Amino acid sequence: MRFNFDVAEPADGDSRRSLTPKEELQWVPLQNHPVFTSADGGATNAAASASSRGVKNLLAWDGASRLYYWDSNKQCLHRISIRLGEPVPTSVVAATPSKVLRADKELNFVVNKISINRNGSALLLTGSDDLCVMYLYGRSSTKDNAIICRTVSIGSQVYSSESSAIRILQVSWHPYSDTHVGILSSDSVFRLFDLSSDVVQPEQEYYLQPVEPGRSRNAASICPVDFSFGGDHLWDRFSVFVLFSDGSVYIVCPVVPFGSVYKWESILEIYSDAHTFGLNSANSAAVCNSNVAISWLEATFPELTQQTTDEENPSIIKAHSHALFDASLALQGPLRKVCRAGEDETVAVRGAECEGRAVSFLYNLISKDSILVTAWSGGQLQVDALADEIQPVWITGSAPRLRVDSRDHVRGIAMICESNDAEHSIVKLDQPLDNTVWLGHPPPLLRLAIVDLALPRKTEGSSLITMFADPLMPERIYSLHEGGVDSIVLHFLPFTSQINGKDENIKIPSVHPVLSTCQGETSSPSPLFGFASLSDSFGYSWVVVVTSTEECVVLEMKTWNLLLPIQIDQEKPVRLEEQKEKDTPDIISKELLSGPKSVLAPQATPNLRSISADSIEGRSAIHQYFKLFHENYVEYAHKVYFELKHHGPQLKRIIDDQHARLNEAQEKMLRVEAKQSMLDERIARAVQRHSSLEQRLQHLRRLPGAHKKPLSRAEREFKSELDQFTGVELDALKSSIDTLRARLRRYTQSSKGSVINQRRKMPGRNNVQDTQIAQLKSSLEKLSLLNSESTKKVELVESALRTKDSS
């Protein structure tokens, strides 16, 4: 009996039940797939790329055998089945035709990014002002040879409403849940949605407040840009890293989706660490902080308190919904550089060292090192490593807002995350361990390198950079920008090198260009619309890139021996003469060219001349001399004859090659002589052009504005501040104003609705409320008058003090 367990593709059920035979699949190279070779999408996508602001990524890989590509022209999703390493280990083939997936609703926004969850069941369609999730498996029907998938908007009341001015900055699936999505928006709020329970209302809301109201020096310090979830390392797995426009990085910890799954060994390691280094500390603050963390762990993971009674521990555990009733999470940061012994502490709190503004952020866990990479609009990548472990920090007295069900179970939380300035401290390398562990200090940063990608300067705007980590080789980071794709390989990791017993100096990262979209020096670069990094279990890695003209490029990436830098011996340079001697083959051996060996004649007797040749002594002497002559000169002649006969064909080939090269050189000389007249004319025109340019330069130098003095250092600093204000501050202020207007509009609408409902419920109290409102208005007017009078008095006092100081 044969059973059919193929339940992974219920969307294809109608096609299986069809009486028509299934279309036979053909396997072609991925770059030659008909989806990418269609010629009708180039012009439309080129026009769309000119109007779009951010970097697009319309390509996603499920980590196994399926590649997804969003077609912006046809508003559909292509599901392409691929095979890695077939028919040869370095190639990638794809099945044609591909499956076409369509949304069951009309999308009223431009999709800029797609991303798939871990199990490949849902895919996010992200735009700048709207967000949808498409369920790839589930209830669907076929229409026009396409699969209609259920598509639902996420946070429609916050993002996609007509009166909302909130922009979506970054969207990402949570690494420990297949149904939770984190969203960072322009209103400085990080929201976590649980798509399995509610797609309209967020499960968790964190209102980020990096500075106190009224203390912000610039708008860039309160304008978020990007975020990233932490990796599988201690408290990093519960952390959210947030990047702001001025380059400052903050941490919110712990953030745990309700119902997310974790390894038992990982949670037990955190629990044991809190007991060992927290409760046993001599510092009372460390004991208090660790107690709060332990109570939170025991409430979120109740299995920790039952581990002593149970004989077998589970392999994975699920997080329960829990929140502290009298404390909110702290916004840890901004993260500062670690100071070495004897170094000035102002270096740690100094501003950004790169040009422009921060545009993107990447967290990458490499063995025991937590690497933070910040991309700047000037084309630089700032690579840092966490010099200490992350610890959870709460601020007591700031109660969160909880949403509970009828059983008093927490279903939603919302809190304000403020930065605790009192906890900021400068960490030094020679500082004892007891002075840093469980004290609530944010972890310091160890600067590894600043990588300049040497991107072309743009006058109309800044460069947008997106970064991806290689799934096979975590030391490699891909940077996607308008000029193409670059590969950055990290050769030094502080904690990993220390664990492996390598005592080596800091090695700079190596940068390798992978793909360039610039056709020439004068042509403008064309943006890329898709990027995906593929890898198989045999150690092969590929990069798939989709251009703005819907062309697919597949490149094989080398992984073996890439971490080993090239060693060049600069102490022993090779001379040119020695190199020529090595390259020139030996036609005749040096032994033959040196001639026959000189042989000493045997010692002759004094009466040799008196001996006749016919005698026995004379014949013996002649025979001895003839033997020496034969052994030396005759054998040498035979060797010379053999060498000349053996090397004759080789000499003929060399002579023929020399003649051919001579003829080729003569032909080139004839072509050069033929072009000499044209070159002379071009040189003459260039000289005339140079003289005319010199005359124009002289005329320009005589203009009144040509003799301006160069800007001083203070003027240059002021100009850079103005440029930063025009590039960053105005956009941040505009977005803040739009966000405040949207909030005010929603608040007025809700307040009007509540007042009308209250009036309907209590019609007898309208007069009382009107009188109270009138009294409040009059009191507000009086307060405003008092405020203006006090302001005038303060100004008078200040003017009197200034006159007194001047006198």
Side-chain angles (χ1 to χ4, degrees):
M1 184 179 294
R2 183 179 179 181
F3 297 94
N4 186 12
F5 294 100
D6 191 5
V7 297
E9 297 187 13
D12 300 339
D14 295 341
S15 63
R16 292 195 187 98
R17 290 189 295 268
S18 178
L19 297 177
T20 58
K22 188 175 182 179
E23 189 174 358
E24 185 178 358
L25 295 179
Q26 295 181 358
W27 295 92
V28 298
L30 180 58
Q31 59 270 21
N32 299 333
H33 199 276
V35 172
F36 304 111
T37 56
S38 61
D40 57 346
T44 307
N45 278 341
S49 63
S51 60
S52 61
R53 294 184 59 185
V55 178
K56 289 189 175 183
N57 188 14
L58 306 180
L59 205 63
W61 181 48
D62 65 348
S65 61
R66 286 177 177 176
L67 194 68
Y68 294 87
Y69 173 67
W70 175 261
D71 193 341
S72 301
N73 301 321
K74 300 178 181 179
Q75 292 289 307
C76 65
L77 183 70
H78 294 276
R79 188 178 68 195
I80 306 172
S81 299
I82 61 175
R83 291 178 180 175
L84 303 178
E86 293 185 9
V88 294
T90 59
S91 64
V92 180
V93 294
T96 177
S98 60
K99 293 290 184 180
V100 178
L101 310 180
R102 295 185 181 275
D104 61 350
K105 56 177 290 187
E106 184 180 359
L107 302 181
N108 299 322
F109 63 95
V110 178
V111 177
N112 296 330
K113 177 186 175 183
I114 65 173
S115 58
I116 193 169
N117 59 353
R118 296 181 305 173
N119 59 8
S121 61
L123 186 134
L124 293 176
L125 304 175
T126 308
S128 60
D129 53 357
D130 204 347
L131 174 65
C132 291
V133 56
M134 177 184 288
Y135 294 98
L136 305 178
Y137 306 100
R139 187 181 61 85
S140 61
S141 61
T142 57
K143 180 181 179 182
D144 298 335
N145 293 328
I147 301 173
I148 308 301
C149 299
R150 187 168 66 95
T151 306
V152 183
S153 298
I154 301 176
S156 57
Q157 296 181 356
V158 180
Y159 306 114
S160 58
S161 61
E162 297 180 356
S163 60
S164 176
I166 300 175
R167 293 182 295 106
I168 298 175
L169 302 177
Q170 183 60 274
V171 179
S172 178
W173 291 96
H174 198 278
Y176 295 99
S177 176
D178 294 323
T179 60
H180 283 81
V181 177
I183 304 175
L184 180 65
S185 52
S186 59
D187 57 347
S188 298
V189 181
F190 174 75
R191 297 176 175 89
L192 197 62
F193 286 86
D194 185 7
L195 305 184
S196 62
S197 60
D198 192 356
V199 296
V200 178
Q201 194 171 6
E203 177 186 274
Q204 303 178 30
E205 285 184 291
Y206 300 93
Y207 293 82
L208 309 177
Q209 190 170 315
V211 292
E212 294 182 4
R215 295 185 58 183
S216 175
R217 296 183 179 180
N218 51 12
S221 61
I222 59 175
C223 183
V225 174
D226 199 356
F227 83 94
S228 179
F229 291 109
D232 191 13
H233 176 69
L234 294 180
W235 289 94
D236 290 20
R237 56 179 57 89
F238 301 146
S239 302
V240 178
F241 298 83
V242 183
L243 174 69
F244 285 79
S245 185
D246 61 344
S248 58
V249 179
Y250 292 84
I251 300 176
V252 182
C253 179
V255 177
V256 179
F258 300 158
S260 55
V261 179
Y262 299 89
K263 296 179 182 179
W264 167 257
E265 292 81 3
S266 303
I267 305 301
L268 188 60
E269 181 184 9
I270 299 175
Y271 191 65
S272 302
D273 178 81
H275 279 85
T276 304
F277 297 99
L279 295 181
N280 297 332
S281 176
N283 196 321
S284 60
V287 174
C288 180
N289 293 334
S290 60
N291 271 324
V292 177
I294 290 171
S295 62
W296 179 86
L297 283 172
E298 292 176 350
T300 307
F301 304 100
E303 293 82 359
L304 292 173
T305 57
Q306 303 171 3
Q307 62 174 334
T308 57
T309 59
D310 297 341
E311 295 181 358
E312 295 182 358
N313 294 323
S315 59
I316 57 175
I317 55 177
K318 184 179 293 186
H320 293 249
S321 59
H322 174 69
L324 300 181
F325 293 95
D326 58 344
S328 298
L329 295 180
L331 189 62
Q332 304 181 43
L335 305 185
R336 307 183 181 187
K337 291 172 55 179
V338 65
C339 285
R340 294 175 175 83
E343 190 177 2
D344 189 6
E345 295 183 356
T346 58
V347 179
V349 297
R350 192 171 54 191
E353 301 177 2
C354 301
E355 299 178 2
R357 60 186 179 90
V359 293
S360 63
F361 179 80
L362 174 67
Y363 171 92
N364 191 17
L365 180 64
I366 307 174
S367 185
K368 296 296 182 181
D369 289 276
S370 300
I371 305 299
L372 310 182
V373 186
T374 304
W376 295 78
S377 60
Q380 295 89 12
L381 300 183
Q382 179 180 314
V383 185
D384 299 314
L386 291 181
D388 201 352
E389 301 295 344
I390 300 175
Q391 307 294 342
V393 179
W394 286 269
I395 298 179
T396 58
S398 178
R401 183 178 179 181
L402 304 180
R403 187 175 72 252
V404 297
D405 56 6
S406 58
R407 299 181 180 179
D408 292 337
H409 292 165
V410 178
R411 296 304 178 191
I413 57 176
M415 63 182 67
I416 299 176
C417 300
E418 299 177 338
S419 179
N420 193 358
D421 295 336
E423 299 295 337
H424 291 174
S425 63
I426 307 301
V427 180
K428 297 185 178 181
L429 290 177
D430 56 347
Q431 196 168 354
L433 186 64
D434 297 337
N435 296 340
T436 59
V437 177
W438 287 104
L439 295 182
H441 302 320
L445 297 177
L446 180 62
R447 180 64 46 82
L448 298 183
I450 293 180
V451 180
D452 192 353
L453 300 178
L455 300 181
R457 300 292 180 180
K458 296 177 61 178
T459 56
E460 68 275 6
S462 57
S463 300
L464 298 178
I465 303 174
T466 307
M467 296 174 292
F468 302 91
D470 193 333
L472 182 64
M473 181 180 169
E475 293 85 358
R476 179 163 51 192
I477 299 170
Y478 296 105
S479 63
L480 177 65
H481 46 79
E482 293 185 355
V485 181
D486 292 330
S487 171
I488 299 95
V489 180
L490 303 179
H491 297 288
F492 174 77
L493 301 171
F495 292 100
T496 304
S497 301
Q498 184 179 4
I499 292 173
N500 296 335
K502 298 179 181 179
D503 189 9
E504 53 187 10
N505 297 326
I506 297 179
K507 297 179 181 179
I508 61 175
S510 58
V511 182
H512 307 276
V514 177
L515 179 66
S516 178
T517 59
C518 297
Q519 302 296 330
E521 297 181 356
T522 58
S523 63
S524 58
S526 60
L528 301 176
F529 277 4
F531 178 87
S533 178
L534 314 180
S535 61
D536 62 359
S537 58
F538 296 99
Y540 291 94
S541 178
W542 298 267
V543 164
V544 182
V545 179
V546 178
T547 63
S548 59
T549 57
E550 290 189 354
E551 295 178 348
C552 180
V553 181
V554 181
L555 301 173
E556 181 193 0
M557 303 301 297
K558 301 296 182 182
T559 55
W560 303 111
N561 298 330
L562 189 59
L563 294 177
L564 300 177
I566 300 175
Q567 300 292 339
I568 300 177
D569 191 3
Q570 299 180 356
E571 297 180 357
K572 297 180 179 180
V574 181
R575 295 182 181 179
L576 184 61
E577 299 177 355
E578 297 178 357
Q579 185 68 26
K580 288 183 178 180
E581 292 180 359
K582 293 180 180 180
D583 296 338
T584 305
D586 293 335
I587 303 301
I588 299 177
S589 62
K590 297 179 180 180
E591 183 181 358
L592 296 180
L593 293 176
S594 62
K597 297 180 180 179
S598 59
V599 181
L600 296 176
Q603 187 175 2
T605 58
N607 54 355
L608 181 62
R609 293 186 179 184
S610 62
I611 298 174
S612 62
D614 296 335
S615 63
I616 296 175
E617 292 84 359
R619 289 179 180 180
S620 176
I622 291 172
H623 178 72
Q624 189 176 3
Y625 278 102
F626 181 77
K627 184 179 179 181
L628 291 175
F629 176 78
H630 183 272
E631 289 179 356
N632 292 277
Y633 296 98
V634 175
E635 290 183 2
Y636 173 75
H638 280 290
K639 289 181 180 179
V640 172
Y641 174 76
F642 178 77
E643 288 282 344
L644 293 177
K645 184 179 179 180
H646 178 71
H647 291 288
Q650 186 177 0
L651 289 173
K652 186 177 181 302
R653 287 194 301 268
I654 293 174
I655 292 172
D656 295 340
D657 183 47
Q658 295 292 337
H659 281 294
R661 294 175 63 184
L662 179 61
N663 294 332
E664 185 180 357
Q666 289 177 354
E667 292 178 358
K668 290 182 179 179
M669 290 295 296
L670 292 176
R671 288 197 296 267
V672 170
E673 290 176 358
K675 296 180 180 179
Q676 183 65 32
S677 59
M678 184 174 60
L679 290 175
D680 293 339
E681 293 178 359
R682 293 179 64 182
I683 291 172
R685 289 197 300 267
V687 171
Q688 292 178 1
R689 181 67 175 173
H690 183 264
S691 61
S692 64
L693 289 176
E694 282 187 350
Q695 292 178 2
R696 291 182 63 186
L697 183 60
Q698 294 294 334
H699 290 302
L700 290 174
R701 286 176 178 175
R702 295 172 186 174
L703 294 176
H707 299 283
K708 291 183 178 180
K709 295 181 180 180
L711 297 178
S712 62
R713 182 178 179 181
E715 291 173 343
R716 289 195 300 270
E717 292 178 355
F718 182 68
K719 184 177 181 300
S720 64
E721 291 180 0
L722 290 179
D723 294 339
Q724 185 180 5
F725 184 82
T726 55
V728 179
E729 304 292 332
L730 291 180
D731 295 338
L733 289 174
K734 288 179 181 178
S735 63
S736 300
I737 292 171
D738 295 338
T739 304
L740 290 175
R741 286 178 178 174
R743 287 184 179 179
L744 179 61
R745 192 180 298 110
R746 291 199 304 269
Y747 177 75
T748 52
Q749 292 176 359
S750 61
S751 62
K752 288 181 180 179
S754 61
V755 169
I756 292 173
N757 293 331
Q758 289 179 1
R759 289 183 178 179
R760 289 177 180 176
K761 294 179 180 179
M762 296 177 294
R765 298 186 180 181
N766 291 338
N767 297 329
V768 178
Q769 291 182 354
D770 293 339
T771 54
Q772 291 179 354
I773 291 172
Q775 292 177 359
L776 288 174
K777 287 183 178 179
S778 61
S779 60
L780 286 174
E781 291 176 357
K782 292 179 181 179
L783 287 174
S784 62
L785 291 174
L786 291 174
N787 190 16
S788 60
E789 291 178 358
S790 61
T791 304
K792 292 180 181 179
K793 292 179 181 179
V794 169
E795 290 178 354
L796 291 175
V797 172
E798 289 180 351
S799 62
L801 290 175
R802 283 196 296 268
T803 54
K804 184 177 180 181
D805 294 337
S806 60
S807 61

